[in-house]
Amino acid sequence: MERCFPTASILTKTSVIVARRCASPCNHFRAECKNTKQTRCCGGNRVTADRNAEGHAGKDGFAGFDPKSVEPYIVKDPEGLAVNLARAMEQLGKAASAWLAPRETGEKSDVFAEPVTDMVKTLSRVSEYWLSDPRRTLEAQTHLMGSFFEMWSRTLHRMSGDAAAIDPASLQRADKRFTDEDWVKNPFFDFVRQAYFITSDWADKMVRDAEGLDDHTKHKAAFYVRQISSALSPTNFVTTNPQLYRETVATSGANLVKGMQMFAEDVVAGRGDLKMRQTDTSKFAIGENIAITPGKVVAQSDVCQVIQYEASTETVLKHPLLICPPWINKFYVLDLNPQKSFIKWAVDQGHTVFVISWVNPDERHAAKDWEAYAREGIGFALDTVEQATGEREVNAIGYCVGGTLLAATLALHAAEGDERIRSATLFTTQVDFTHAGDLKVFVDEDQISQMEVGMRATGYLDGSKMATAFNMLRASELIWPYFVNNYLKGQEPLPFDLLYWNSDSTRMPAANHSFYLRNCYLENRLSKGEMILAGKQVSLGDVKIPIYNLATKEDHIAPPRSVFVGSSSFGGKVTYVLSGSGHIAGVVNPPDKGKYQFWTGGPPKGEFDDWVKTAKETPGSWWPHWHQWIEKLDKKRVPARKPGGTLNTLEEAPGSYVRARA
């Protein structure tokens, strides 16, 4: 047998190979395996091997490693690579200029120090626990060093050809960042991968086992450790990611040139901040191929437009349906396209659908608080529904923070004797914030005060700030994969309507956002019956109307346990439903897709885990179950209604408010 081997293959067998210089005229290095007397010439001339030595691991020495597999990692065009690296640096310089420009003019000022200071202060509390006692310090060090020694021992055994040294747990660990086979087969990347998991697991354990920390500090510390671990993953760097390394070698760095060009464009698009693209936004246009359910804008206030959609059935349910979406994002998540649109589906079931489209606020709206959004938003929409249809009573839906506002408004209406909302459906809505999830990391007195100082200067919270916070909740899915694909691989993202919506961020009025953070996340006043609206102390216990309370199993924004606990705050009957998937996909789940499932059970009383154990699972979408719930309340129908009725319509749906970009 004759075979050629690159020089790099010698470096992978240091435990069993002795390297010597070949005799003239070759003058390259040669290597001899002590076990098989196999000779290898790095010059690629020839190799002769006797593989009959008993006890040798086989052809590759490192279990699962083929020496030929290193060839894609060898630079074949060093000059081309050098030129492209220079071009990539040039693009990086353009990004730096775009970042500096608004800061030199005073248009932007950075507040990097504030979150970094909070992170250092929080993690210092963890370090203080482990360093304050020499025994604990030794325990922490021993745990980390012991794990590294075990890994090193396994690696040495594998490099000597001992396939039994493979750690099954390290190969089977479910992490889609490490799907490339060279993360296991290649000794270098296998070592890097194991070292990363050991270190990140150790850091997580240090937070988990630290005693004497209050719950909020411990929660923040765990969150910050996850952010650091996600950022420092070897998948995020060219030289430690096998796929990136191979691609950079194969293209002589052209991928980095394209990636840095995209990076510079994204900094320019963000006017000095990085606005990372998650989808091809050029493929979407609001009102043309997204948010296209036919309807009219029938009314407009300072904080919202009210849209009424055209009926698609000859008769409609007597009571109209009013949807109050979150103002943190735009309403068309419920109308992405005809196949996914909850709005269109509800219209097709015979609902007369009205939707509140919130304004994308600027400095003029700085003083618009929750009372303003309750009066000029929900109250204004209820007046509009009555004028357009003649019906005083409606069924209402609130989504996320829109649901929290709707619940607070219901409590205000109960105090005032306003009975226009006869039933309420809440999509992934928290009214009790005891178990509010990772967003609580951003909420304490210091952080809110700093945010309020910034909002006073502009009158609003910039949409990018909230978008970044939401993305950080799932950084390993919503930040770093796009960083790698966009800027290191140089790949344009594919068009995806949901990610287009996700990138279409909105601003928030200063007074509104401050009220929300303080009254809900910080002080949890709504569930306690302590919230003050319109000068009145309001209580959810006074809300006696039927409530359909939808949670989603994998929700990281409104955790299902939090929604469950909040159900007990209402004074009437609550139907709690748990849907599969997360905050968006669990809600936007058309029945004809046959995806996911939902659980129903008895009243939401007692412990959440106990309710789940006895709940009935139903395959598919919860939408039909909700519609049946509505019809059980009142299924009377009337002739289909024309948008606006006697009102003069203002413009075609989806209106102008939703088109304003932050």
Side-chain angles (χ1 to χ4, degrees), residues 249-324:
V249 169
T251 65
S252 296
N255 56 310
L256 298 179
V257 178
K258 175 63 176 174
M260 290 304 100
Q261 179 185 345
M262 293 169 62
F263 182 74
E265 292 170 354
D266 288 354
V267 175
V268 171
R271 299 190 296 274
D273 291 328
L274 178 62
K275 187 174 184 180
M276 188 182 297
R277 65 188 85 181
Q278 295 178 320
T279 184
D280 184 354
T281 58
S282 67
K283 296 296 190 293
F284 301 101
I286 295 175
E288 296 179 20
N289 61 358
I290 197 167
I292 59 173
T293 300
K296 306 283 187 183
V297 175
V298 296
Q300 177 176 310
S301 74
D302 199 28
V303 301
C304 74
Q305 289 184 325
V306 180
I307 302 169
Q308 182 182 354
Y309 290 91
E310 295 178 6
S312 62
T313 54
E314 292 185 2
T315 63
V316 295
L317 289 168
K318 181 176 185 294
H319 295 107
L321 179 67
L322 173 63
I323 299 177
C324 178

Side-chain angles (χ1 to χ4, degrees), residues 127-142:
S127 301
E128 182 181 347
Y129 170 80
W130 290 103
L131 296 175
S132 61
D133 185 332
R135 288 174 297 180
R136 287 200 293 260
T137 305
L138 180 61
E139 177 189 344
Q141 293 173 340
T142 301

Side-chain angles (χ1 to χ4, degrees), residues 465-653:
K465 301 292 190 297
M466 185 58 70
T468 299
F470 278 115
N471 286 339
M472 287 177 67
L473 299 183
R474 294 164 58 198
S476 292
E477 298 174 36
L478 295 177
I479 295 179
W480 296 110
Y482 295 99
F483 175 86
V484 170
N485 291 333
N486 295 358
Y487 307 139
L488 300 182
K489 291 184 180 179
Q491 295 177 352
E492 291 278 358
L494 297 173
F496 186 22
D497 51 12
L498 184 58
L499 288 176
Y500 175 83
W501 165 83
N502 188 58
S503 67
D504 191 6
S505 58
T506 57
R507 297 177 288 264
M508 276 153 284
N512 176 306
H513 197 52
S514 179
F515 183 94
Y516 175 51
L517 293 181
R518 288 190 174 279
N519 281 267
C520 295
Y521 275 95
L522 188 61
E523 297 164 356
N524 201 18
R525 289 185 171 182
L526 182 57
S527 66
K528 296 176 181 177
E530 299 173 356
M531 180 178 283
I532 305 297
L533 273 180
K536 298 179 176 63
Q537 184 170 321
V538 299
S539 170
L540 293 177
D542 296 332
V543 178
K544 309 294 186 182
I545 63 173
I547 303 289
Y548 188 99
N549 206 9
L550 177 78
T552 55
K553 187 177 181 182
E554 299 167 16
D555 201 331
H556 58 289
I557 295 172
R561 184 184 305 275
S562 181
V563 177
F564 181 89
V565 170
S567 298
S568 62
S569 300
F570 294 98
K573 182 179 179 181
V574 177
T575 300
Y576 179 83
V577 178
L578 179 63
S579 170
S581 196
H583 193 72
I584 303 299
V587 174
V588 183
N589 183 25
D592 60 358
K593 300 295 183 184
K595 295 177 67 176
Y596 311 125
Q597 68 283 101
F598 65 94
W599 292 265
T600 54
K605 305 290 185 182
E607 294 297 325
F608 170 70
D609 293 334
D610 294 335
W611 185 93
V612 171
K613 288 177 184 176
T614 59
K616 175 187 174 184
E617 180 178 345
T618 304
S621 173
W622 56 270
W623 292 8
H625 180 267
W626 166 82
H627 180 64
Q628 292 168 9
W629 180 81
I630 288 285
E631 287 194 319
K632 284 180 181 177
L633 298 177
D634 190 346
K635 63 191 309 181
K636 183 178 180 181
R637 291 188 172 239
V638 298
R641 303 169 172 119
K642 184 183 77 169
T646 58
L647 295 173
N648 293 322
T649 59
L650 304 180
E651 56 181 319
E652 297 290 327

